[in-house]
């Protein structure tokens, strides 16, 4: 299963948030939608990926190949997901792995992406 990051689209949300005076909750929702838009871009670039929005769709898509998560359906307004910049695509990938009771999670970062030091 592939979890898209928000990429440059989420970076733009970060840039406009203070300019427009947006709340963290609004910026969070916009960043989730940036992840959704990146999923559309990834699907266009790699059409063999299988789009999925729910746990059942993800499981079915993964059985046929590589599932691509479109996160808005499962995440927007979810009570267990804080509406702040503390939530990232990485933490959502971990959340999704827990929801799906996945055996493992592998994070693949873009070249040059900042990594947090190990605790």
């Amino acid at each position: 299963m592939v979890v898209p990051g928000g990429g440059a689209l989420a970076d733009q949300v970060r840039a406009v948030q203070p300019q427009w005076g947006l709340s963290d909750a609004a910026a969070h929702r916009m960043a989730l939608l940036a992840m959704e838009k990146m999923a559309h871009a990834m699907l266009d670039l790699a059409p063999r990926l299988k789009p999925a929005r729910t746990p059942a769709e993800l499981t079915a898509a993964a059985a046929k190949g590589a599932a691509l998560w479109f996160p808005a359906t499962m995440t927007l307004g979810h009570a267990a997901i804080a509406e702040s910049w503390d939530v990232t695509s990485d933490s959502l990938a971990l959340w999704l792995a827990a929801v799906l009771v996945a055996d493992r999670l592998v994070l693949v970062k873009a070249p040059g992406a900042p990594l947090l030091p190990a605790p």
Side-chain angles (χ1 to χ4, degrees), residues 46-65:
R48 290 179 37 192
L49 293 170
K50 311 288 187 240
R53 290 172 172 77
T54 66
E57 288 178 6
L58 283 160
T59 301
K64 297 176 186 174

Side-chain angles (χ1 to χ4, degrees), residues 48-114:
R48 290 179 37 192
L49 293 170
K50 311 288 187 240
R53 290 172 172 77
T54 66
E57 288 178 6
L58 283 160
T59 301
K64 297 176 186 174
L68 174 61
W69 188 37
F70 284 71
T73 299
M74 289 179 64
T75 60
L76 284 172
H78 195 291
I81 299 172
E83 291 187 320
S84 78
W85 285 110
D86 291 337
V87 175
T88 66
S89 57
D90 291 353
S91 62
L92 287 172
L94 178 60
W95 175 82
L96 180 63
V99 166
L100 298 174
V101 193
D103 292 335
R104 67 179 173 251
L105 168 66
V106 177
L107 295 177
V108 178
K109 305 299 286 185

Side-chain angles (χ1 to χ4, degrees), residues 6 9-10 12-14 16-17 20 22-37 76 83 85:
L9 301 174
Q12 285 303 310
V13 173
R14 284 185 192 273
V16 301
Q17 182 184 9
W20 294 356
L22 298 173
S23 67
D24 282 348
H28 166 80
R29 291 187 297 269
M30 291 169 69
L32 286 176
L33 292 171
M35 290 174 63
E36 186 93 357
K37 290 176 187 329
L76 284 172
E83 291 187 320
W85 285 110

